[in-house]
Amino acid sequence: MLGPLLFLLYVNDIGHSISCSTVKLFADDTNLFIYGKSAEDLQARAMHEITLLSEWFIANKLSLSINKSCYTVFGASSEAKSRINLNIGNTVLQQVEFSKYLGGLY
């Protein structure tokens, strides 16, 4: 049972790796919450934070499951949602309406 505790201690500083968003951790799931006043602002902020987070993962020798990574846009029109496209490196992230979060739907 020491493994989960050591993992939490290891990733405890992940929130310091980003500049203007909130990180929520649950077990080995990492969630970013980013806000913006427009689709363009949101996209720019999200890409900046994703880049910082990716660099943190690399620096800490952790792997990011890019194929399991996705994003949801809340409170925007369909048109605004369609203008937001995010990627990690050369991989385009899938925009979803909901995702599984440790067995539950949120």
Side-chain angles (χ1 to χ4, degrees), residues 8 10-25 30-32 49 52-53 56-57 60:
L8 289 175
Y10 191 68
V11 299
N12 194 40
D13 71 332
I14 196 169
H16 300 291
S17 69
I18 56 174
S19 60
C20 63
S21 63
T22 303
V23 174
K24 297 290 183 185
L25 298 172
T30 305
N31 290 274
L32 283 178
E49 298 296 286
L52 292 175
L53 193 59
W56 183 91
F57 272 86
N60 286 281

Side-chain angles (χ1 to χ4, degrees), residues 13-67:
D13 71 332
I14 196 169
H16 300 291
S17 69
I18 56 174
S19 60
C20 63
S21 63
T22 303
V23 174
K24 297 290 183 185
L25 298 172
F26 189 79
D28 65 345
D29 284 343
T30 305
N31 290 274
L32 283 178
F33 292 89
I34 304 166
Y35 61 90
K37 293 185 180 192
S38 68
E40 294 75 20
D41 180 42
L42 185 57
Q43 168 130 0
R45 286 177 182 236
M47 285 307 306
H48 176 72
E49 298 296 286
I50 289 170
T51 299
L52 292 175
L53 193 59
S54 293
E55 290 170 356
W56 183 91
F57 272 86
I58 291 167
N60 286 281
K61 297 179 176 39
L62 291 172
S63 61
L64 180 62
S65 296
I66 296 175
N67 59 332

Side-chain angles (χ1 to χ4, degrees), residues 22 39 97 105:
T22 303
E97 291 296 317
L105 296 178

